[in-house]
Amino acid sequence: MTLVRSLLAALMVLALAARAEAGEFVHFKSGNATLIGYLAKPAGKGPFPAAVLLHGSGGFHAQMLSWANRLSRWSYVAFAIDSFSPRGRHGQGNVAKEQAGDAFEGLRYLAELPQVRANAVALIGFSFGGSSTLADLEQGSAIARLYPDKFRAGVAFYPECSGSSGLMTVPMLILVGALDDWTLASDCTDMAAGKSVIPVVRQSGDRSNVKLVVYPGAHHGFDIADLSIIPGGVTVQGHRLEYNEAATRDAAQQVRAFLDGTLKD
């Protein structure tokens, strides 16, 4: 497992350097930390709608640049944040609240840019970052109460749904693989339906803000293109990660339509 993870990390680093095609790396403050973010902008003066991107427990890698570059081609300013490396972290550890706060600090950073429509910014998270997205955007969020600026919409790729109420303050798109054995699709289905399961008790309420898409045959990390060079994917911490081209293609279409519908009005 160590050899596979080392190989995967090396591939991610090489791809990271190769894909900084549309933007630049910048520094910004989040609490007591100085973080690094990848900022990708469309051509033109704008102002444009925008998105903050949060990475998963594997840290900041090429997937983040790929999505940021894709968003910039769709005429969005994209800001992908590295919550781990500047803090000396190599795994999620105890940074859940820190990453959730980083999202709002990223929103503040974007709101000060003349190319950005400050009232039209989405939060997009992957795995661990997807869980942070749910935590930031659900009703009664303790983190959100600390910040005056608010997100307009959210997208969560294969998040941990078991701890979320499903009662969201803004439109939320959730994308997960049916074969995901790390963050279960069934947990997201229960969340979207408001179903209580031991030990989670969910209150009744309007969950119409949640749109859930489950991809048959897809595993965790289905959109990580660099996994495509490893037949059958990889096993990390006992869980399978595997690229799925069909799911990724549809997810891109889903995300673009969702953001266009919620941010470009």
Side-chain angles (χ1 to χ4, degrees), residues 6 48 89 101 125 127 137 182 229 236 259:
S6 298
F48 302 101
R89 309 286 176 82
S127 192
L137 302 183
W182 203 333
I229 67 172
V236 177
L259 294 180

Side-chain angles (χ1 to χ4, degrees), residues 203-239:
Q203 298 177 346
S204 61
D206 182 6
R207 291 175 171 80
S208 60
N209 268 339
V210 176
K211 178 181 180 181
L212 173 63
V213 179
V214 179
Y215 291 109
H219 293 266
H220 198 78
F222 62 77
D223 63 310
I224 303 177
D226 293 301
L227 292 175
S228 64
I229 67 172
I230 306 174
V234 299
T235 299
V236 177
Q237 297 181 25
H239 304 286

Side-chain angles (χ1 to χ4, degrees), residues 27-38:
H27 293 84
F28 73 105
K29 293 289 291 185
S30 182
N32 295 324
T34 299
L35 301 185
I36 300 171
Y38 177 70

Side-chain angles (χ1 to χ4, degrees), residues 159-162 176-189 220:
E160 177 54 67
C161 293
S162 63
V176 62
L179 300 183
D180 196 320
D181 63 358
W182 203 333
T183 53
L184 304 181
S186 58
D187 288 339
C188 294
T189 301
H220 198 78

